[in-house]
Amino acid sequence: MQEETIVAIATARGRAGVGIVRLSGEKAVEIAGKVFAPLGGKSLNEAESHRAVYGNIVINGRRLDDGLAIVMRAPHSYTGEDVAELQCHGAPVLLREIVAACCELGARPAEAGEYTRRAFLNGRLDLLKAQAVMDVIEAKTSASLKLAAGHLSGKASAKVSRWREDILDILVHLEALIDFPEEGIEELSLEEAGEKLSEICLEMERLYRTRNTGKILRDGLVTAIVGTPNAGKSSLLNALLGEERAIVTDIAGTTRDSLEEYADIGGVPLRLIDTAGIRDTEDRVEQLGIQRSRAAMEKAELVLALFDGSRPLSEDDRELLNSLTGVATANPYNSLPSRGGGTKRGGVTASQYNSLPSRGGGTKCGGVTASPYNSLPSRGGGTKCRRGEESEDNQSAYPSVAFGDSSPKGEPNKKVFLLITKSDLRGCDDTEAAIKEAAGDKAQLFNISSKEGAGLEQLTAAIREYALSGVSDEQLTEGGVATEWEAYRLAEAMKSVGAAADAINAGLGADCATIDLTAAVDSLGAILGLTASEDVVDHIFSRFCVGK
């Protein structure tokens, strides 16, 4: 238990029917009892744990309000410490006075996320569950909430803990074989250890493939709506939002700046960016807007490119098409990058797990480098971990084709949907044919009318499929990879386990494998917070709100 007692308003800012002030620490109940007088004459110190007590808020002899007090005694509280909550009417000035009075009586204002941090430090939550608390608070859609709730339920933590324990068991067994070879330890053969590690790699891979979907559900899929003036960009934004958010006129160049909003598309949060129409212009202000349009296209993960179907393609339309059209390539957002061919054993790839750089070039045993077999599963090829068995996730979890410019850094292409708008008007017969000719057969093309709603259901279904492809409802419920840091540490663990499996399967001996298994145990422990550095913990809790 922390020595200091902390206090903060636990409810959202602004007026509300109910407001809550929360205290946690050794003197939480004592301090709360000095500003809350239960009816019936008993003190708050005598209150039964986890039972609501009715009484009055009294500060410096003045009765300010009536309300409830709840005492939750350690260790059976959210923080694992003594906790007291005062519930009254949600007037901001009243709540601030209660906090100020508690501070005068010996408490101090809580820092952002300090309640959850104390819960973590006191063993009430592991790091995965602690992060999930804020993810639940910030969930933007039902799917976002499902992912966060899966983490908060402990299902993801249980899975990572099981992997860590299984790897630790193998590590202990291998170290015993090394240290006590004369004892004839044979409970787990090297071959069985290699097979078990390969199975763990497959399970890790399936979780790892949820990492981009997890990022989308937490932060939103960055989606740029682009097109030439009057192509229907603002109308589409309004249609997806279900409200008149952007100004719509038939005057070219109405939108001169980027407008950003969130939309819930079948449980997927879309971070929509409505951009200025792209065209050649001498208007300096409009040029600045067009520059922002191109910048939005660069950072977007999904581009909705609009073309007015009521008129022939203009030169500006064709220039936009040319800027989007590139070589259709595999989209490895949710696949695991490949660096090498892996170690082949009997014609079967033993492990292709690690895209992360190997530590110092690998572990050398008997002059043979053990660990840089490490490429996480190759795009499209799958990962063969056990003899005769190929990973069921042998393709990217995102659609296999992306339409757009290839990245100069070799990064995956962004996804582009081509939209022919204004299908409610009499169309130009040549527009769709011209777009298909320019874009090729692999482009995804939609005919829509933002005014009438035609085609929007098909469009939103395709967006949802793109964002969640390869991730089932069951995986969301069980908790996928939610943060980049979590994905990085999981990839490190996969790399280490894959290298250990390779070393064993290649006959390099137990001593080579133990180094990588020790690293894997450490990486998985970091995900749970068992071995995470203080800086990492500080960074995670810094994004929490005060009062949580």
Side-chain angles (χ1 to χ4, degrees), residues 3-26:
E3 292 184 1
E4 294 180 308
T5 298
I6 56 176
V7 62
I9 300 170
T11 41
R13 292 182 180 181
R15 294 177 179 84
V18 176
I20 298 175
V21 174
R22 176 182 292 155
L23 297 102
S24 180
E26 188 175 3

Side-chain angles (χ1 to χ4, degrees), residues 1-6 24-26 78-81 108 113-124 541:
M1 182 181 292
Q2 306 293 309
E3 292 184 1
E4 294 180 308
T5 298
I6 56 176
S24 180
E26 188 175 3
Y78 179 74
T79 62
E81 305 170 337
R108 69 161 173 82
E114 189 168 3
Y115 291 96
T116 305
R117 186 188 182 105
R118 289 189 176 200
F120 166 67
L121 294 175
N122 291 327
R124 295 288 291 168
F541 287 104

Side-chain angles (χ1 to χ4, degrees), residues 350-411:
S351 174
Q352 291 178 320
Y353 287 105
N354 296 307
S355 67
L356 296 173
S358 67
R359 296 177 297 282
T363 304
K364 291 190 176 181
C365 298
V368 180
T369 302
S371 70
Y373 306 132
N374 305 317
S375 59
L376 287 165
S378 65
R379 302 181 190 95
T383 304
K384 296 180 180 179
C385 300
R386 289 173 287 184
R387 190 180 302 274
E389 178 174 336
E390 184 174 354
S391 165
E392 63 186 27
D393 298 313
N394 63 347
Q395 294 181 352
S396 164
Y398 266 17
S400 61
V401 174
F403 171 79
D405 286 331
S406 51
S407 165
K409 297 180 181 180
E411 296 169 351

Side-chain angles (χ1 to χ4, degrees), residues 51-135:
R51 291 292 180 91
V53 178
Y54 179 69
N56 294 316
I57 304 293
V58 181
I59 298 177
N60 296 326
R62 295 180 299 132
R63 177 188 176 280
L64 300 182
D65 196 10
D66 61 349
L68 300 174
I70 302 176
V71 171
M72 290 163 276
R73 302 188 189 279
H76 305 295
S77 70
Y78 179 74
T79 62
E81 305 170 337
D82 284 347
V83 170
E85 288 189 356
L86 303 178
Q87 302 181 9
C88 56
H89 293 100
V93 63
L94 172 61
L95 298 174
R96 287 196 297 268
E97 284 207 31
I98 295 173
V99 170
C102 290
C103 289
E104 289 178 4
L105 292 167
R108 69 161 173 82
E111 298 175 359
E114 189 168 3
Y115 291 96
T116 305
R117 186 188 182 105
R118 289 189 176 200
F120 166 67
L121 294 175
N122 291 327
R124 295 288 291 168
L125 300 171
D126 61 41
L127 204 54
L128 277 179
K129 291 181 184 178
Q131 292 179 89
V133 170
M134 200 59 194
D135 290 341

Side-chain angles (χ1 to χ4, degrees), residues 152 169 286 367 423:
L152 192 58
D169 286 345
E286 193 175 350
S423 64

